[in-house]
Amino acid sequence: MIKKAVIPAAGFGTRFLPATKAQAKEMLTVVDKPTIQYVIEEAVEAGIEQILIVTGKNKQSIENHFDRSFEIETELLKKGKTAVYDEMVKISNMAEIFYVRQKELNGLGDAIRYAKHFVNDEPFVVLLGDTIVSGKNCCTKELIETYEKYYKAVIGVEEVKKENVHLYGIIDGDKVEDNTYKINSLVEKPSVEEAPSNLAIAGRYLLTPNIFEYLEKIKPGKNGEYQLTDALKLLCDDKGLIAKKYNGKRYDIGNKLGYLITTIELAVKRKDLGDDFKNYLKDFVKNIDNIDI
Ligand code: G1P
């Protein structure tokens, strides 16, 4: 049973300045919830009970969000808004959440190293804190099911356009069943010429605790940072590694266009707002070329 998750959330969010100057990018709101709440809801849906968030400077609002807020709760009760009150309390009881601060921004591989004691020799999942995955199936659950079949670390992947491979870790793999690959090799942010495929590492991992041995061995890689992909390559060479093309759609809120797309698509999917918002969008799109700039 996999009960632990690690959420790296230490990055500065430089692609989203000035919004991220004094606040965590993981706290950027999509409709009415901060991004990281969607991420934690996914983990909880997959049966995760304990979560370590790797934070950094300017990230205190994450801790506040998952804590109780007695002033707001008292006010809600006074006004008889019990449904909202229940929702607020639920947020702080979703899982047992721990925090550790990454002292220097030395890459994703370095951030995962901070989880060693928390993980305590158990397999665990990693969900990037600025990435929402939305779909019929719970992505983390799919990764756990794949692990329970192969008993090897599993990487969530998706197909990307050839011209975008330089933005991702890319795998080289052989298909073993539908949407599942045995990985031969991985490379972090290759050029189009170097890329062995267009299957990109996509924000979700299921790692075995031996990853920490390999994280100790790696040197700074792409962009001078400790890359998780480099440690995974060593793990792959020694023990083998599986890639799972998951069903959901990945939304990266860390850049401005990605954030806008996320907000629109998740708003359309909402039961309470979706129909009204769709009607608005239809009208808006009809006149889109006549909008004054
Ligand atoms: C990280 C990983 C990369 C992965 C990407 C998207 O890169 O290093 O392998 O493809 O996330 O999940 P970043 O976008 O943080 O530079």
Side-chain angles (χ1 to χ4, degrees):
M1 294 295 262
I2 294 178
K3 295 286 168 204
K4 289 184 179 176
V6 177
I7 302 182
F12 281 142
T14 45
R15 290 177 299 162
F16 217 133
L17 284 166
T20 46
K21 189 176 172 203
Q23 72 153 328
K25 68 173 163 176
E26 297 78 10
M27 286 299 291
L28 290 172
T29 308
V30 175
V31 188
D32 57 359
K33 284 191 284 191
T35 299
I36 195 163
Q37 188 177 329
Y38 290 87
V39 177
I40 290 189
E41 284 170 355
E42 177 190 325
V44 170
E45 192 185 338
I48 298 299
E49 291 173 356
Q50 295 184 321
I51 298 173
L52 176 72
I53 305 181
V54 184
T55 67
K57 286 202 173 62
N58 285 337
K59 303 283 182 171
Q60 291 85 341
S61 55
I62 298 179
E63 293 186 38
N64 293 338
H65 185 73
F66 294 104
D67 197 357
R68 296 285 295 269
S69 174
F70 291 107
E71 295 92 331
I72 295 177
E73 289 170 18
T74 312
E75 197 59 26
L76 289 170
L77 284 181
K78 238 199 282 175
K79 292 188 170 149
K81 297 188 171 175
T82 46
V84 193
Y85 168 86
D86 289 344
E87 208 186 318
M88 292 306 107
V89 175
K90 202 171 135 205
I91 293 170
S92 40
N93 290 334
M94 280 196 297
E96 195 179 359
I97 305 182
F98 301 82
Y99 300 89
V100 61
R101 266 169 84 138
Q102 188 183 15
K103 293 190 189 73
E104 283 177 68
L105 290 185
N106 276 336
L108 186 55
D110 179 59
I112 300 299
R113 276 185 200 152
Y114 282 77
K116 187 172 176 179
H117 297 297
F118 166 77
V119 161
N120 192 24
D121 235 17
E122 293 170 35
F124 62 105
V125 287
V126 172
L127 300 91
L128 299 191
D130 61 0
T131 302
I132 297 173
V133 181
S134 170
K136 283 200 187 77
N137 302 337
C138 170
C139 171
T140 294
K141 217 185 244 174
E142 280 185 67
L143 262 50
I144 292 175
E145 282 161 8
T146 309
Y147 171 76
E148 285 168 349
K149 195 159 174 191
Y150 293 91
Y151 286 98
K152 288 189 190 308
V154 184
I155 303 181
V157 294
E158 67 171 21
E159 285 181 40
V160 296
K161 289 191 187 130
K162 261 226 133 79
E163 63 265 30
N164 289 335
V165 288
H166 68 283
L167 300 170
Y168 300 95
I170 301 291
I171 68 142
D172 170 32
D174 294 323
K175 200 169 181 172
V176 285
E177 61 176 302
D178 265 2
N179 299 324
T180 311
Y181 303 80
K182 182 181 153 298
I183 300 180
N184 301 317
S185 193
L186 317 81
V187 50
E188 181 66 13
K189 303 195 174 78
S191 63
V192 179
E193 296 75 37
E194 290 165 335
S197 75
N198 68 336
L199 283 174
I201 300 175
R204 298 291 185 266
Y205 307 79
L206 191 154
L207 301 179
T208 43
N210 53 4
I211 190 68
F212 295 104
E213 289 167 32
Y214 302 103
L215 284 169
E216 289 310 318
K217 289 186 184 156
I218 56 168
K219 304 253 173 324
K222 198 86 187 180
N223 301 330
E225 295 181 337
Y226 290 95
Q227 297 292 349
L228 177 59
T229 305
D230 292 344
L232 286 168
K233 187 175 180 313
L234 299 178
L235 171 66
C236 179
D237 292 346
D238 266 6
K239 312 273 182 210
L241 198 55
I242 298 292
K244 173 80 187 174
K245 200 162 87 181
Y246 55 71
N247 274 299
K249 180 164 177 186
R250 181 179 61 92
Y251 294 99
D252 176 3
I253 61 94
N255 67 82
K256 293 168 197 180
L257 183 61
Y259 177 75
L260 291 171
I261 292 170
T262 310
T263 303
I264 289 176
E265 294 199 10
L266 295 194
V268 164
K269 286 185 189 181
R270 280 277 293 251
K271 282 201 185 87
D272 53 345
L273 292 166
D275 286 343
D276 288 345
F277 189 53
K278 254 190 268 176
N279 289 336
Y280 158 75
L281 281 179
K282 282 180 196 160
D283 275 353
F284 180 72
V285 167
K286 263 189 234 154
N287 298 310
I288 201 153
D289 292 324
N290 305 322
I291 286 168
D292 290 337
I293 298 171

